[in-house]
Amino acid sequence: MNTLRVLLAVFVASAPGHEGQNAATSPARGSIMFETLLIVGIGFAGGVAVGAQASIAGSMGHRIGGAAGSLIVHLGGALASLALLIARGGEGIREWRSLPWYMLGSGVFGLVLYLSLSQTIPRLGATTAITLVVVGQLVAGMLIDHFGLFAVQARSIDLQRVLASLLLLAGAGLMLR
């Protein structure tokens, strides 16, 4: 439990807007820690969803073809997104024409993902395939952050991020054995 507290304190102290704050003595410590736990939990839930979806899509792609599986996954996602969009009153959907071309075409990356999963999961297994996806996401994320691509605020690659990445890559290497 103490290790979890230390990790949370590091997350909170390094969070944007909290530089230099001592997470253990900050008056808003409880709310910051709750917010941090909530965000970490949401991220973890997203990871679980990606893992489950990847396994299902990979198996489906192996049975009916990668493009066919991708179409089914994207149609299901489109219907669920439409229902959520209606429930949220349309959000800012009327502004879709103002989006840059790369945002409008980003669904192509989903197709690449599902075509790759339809090939890797049957041959390598779900764990190895998802590990490869995560490593690819890590590399892409670091480059996107470093160069400020796709309207993301630039965040330079520093020694701490390089060390964290090396630890994740070492873990991926152990998973691939």
Side-chain angles (χ1 to χ4, degrees), residues 12-154:
V12 171
S14 64
H18 301 289
E19 294 87 358
Q21 264 187 7
N22 182 342
T25 59
S26 171
R29 180 184 75 162
S31 65
I32 292 171
M33 287 189 123
F34 175 76
E35 181 181 332
T36 301
L37 278 174
L38 181 63
I39 296 301
V40 168
I42 290 169
F44 183 77
V48 169
V50 167
Q53 184 186 41
S55 298
I56 293 167
S59 296
M60 181 171 41
H62 184 67
R63 291 177 67 180
I64 65 172
S70 177
L71 178 66
I72 291 170
V73 166
H74 284 90
L75 284 175
L79 292 173
S81 294
L82 178 62
L84 185 58
L85 187 63
I86 290 168
R88 291 182 170 183
E91 293 180 339
I93 192 67
R94 293 181 184 179
E95 302 300 318
W96 74 270
R97 288 181 191 93
S98 67
L99 295 173
W101 65 269
Y102 61 85
M103 289 183 182
L104 295 174
S106 62
V108 170
F109 295 121
L111 176 61
V112 171
L113 172 65
Y114 293 107
L115 290 175
S116 69
L117 291 173
S118 71
Q119 296 299 309
T120 56
I121 287 180
R123 291 171 176 82
L124 303 175
T127 302
T128 301
I130 292 169
T131 299
L132 293 170
V133 168
V134 169
V135 170
Q137 288 174 325
L138 171 68
V139 170
M142 285 184 65
L143 292 173
I144 290 166
D145 277 353
H146 183 74
F147 294 107
L149 303 173
F150 309 123
V152 171
Q153 181 179 352

